[in-house]
Amino acid sequence: MMRPYLIRLRRFAILNPVKDAIHPKWYPDAKITCACGTEYTVGSTVQKATVELCSKCHPVYTGVEKIVDIEGRVEKFAKKRAAAEAAGKNTKSKKVEAKGDNTPKTLREMLAEGKKS
């Protein structure tokens, strides 16, 4: 005896066949190439693809720390930092000097001021 939900699924599959024209082409032997040089053969809708990390070079699997810098973010940050150090900029100290001593007082300090006046 067939279960009711299986009968409904079967009817749905018969009444709604898969449309041929809307599905992408399937490549059973697609080549995936990693930045480290490792190549994998998998099934995909794209014939060739490149990836930045794989199980051979990912820090979680290898235990070796590796900075993955795609767009030069590390160099950009280092350049900004070097320029700031060369100019002698320290934005935090300027802000503190401009504001003065705006730190909140403790209860002990407020009570001491109250006794003085």
Side-chain angles (χ1 to χ4, degrees):
M1 181 168 166
M2 203 172 221
R3 300 215 164 98
Y5 66 89
L6 290 176
I7 294 171
R8 280 188 298 239
L9 282 174
R10 192 178 222 179
R11 278 190 205 145
F12 181 80
I14 292 170
L15 295 176
N16 301 313
V18 176
K19 296 179 183 177
D20 293 333
I22 64 169
H23 295 287
K25 186 173 180 181
W26 180 256
Y27 299 99
D29 54 348
K31 299 285 184 193
I32 307 296
T33 308
C34 180
C36 70
T38 308
E39 266 193 15
Y40 297 100
T41 303
V42 296
S44 178
T45 57
V46 182
Q47 203 165 20
K48 292 180 183 177
T50 57
V51 293
E52 296 143 10
L53 294 173
C54 66
S55 62
K56 302 279 186 200
C57 63
H58 195 282
V60 171
Y61 300 115
T62 61
V64 178
E65 186 175 340
K66 178 181 175 183
I67 296 175
V68 179
D69 186 27
I70 302 166
E71 299 174 4
R73 293 184 200 136
V74 174
E75 288 83 12
K76 187 177 176 182
F77 175 77
K79 193 184 300 182
K80 281 184 181 180
R81 185 173 182 180
E85 287 176 358
K89 290 183 181 178
N90 192 352
T91 56
K92 286 186 178 182
S93 63
K94 288 182 181 179
K95 288 180 182 178
V96 170
E97 291 171 8
K99 286 185 179 180
D101 188 22
N102 250 357
T103 58
K105 296 180 181 179
T106 63
L107 180 60
R108 182 175 285 161
E109 290 172 345
M110 289 190 284
L111 289 173
E113 284 181 7
K115 288 181 182 179
K116 289 180 184 178
S117 43

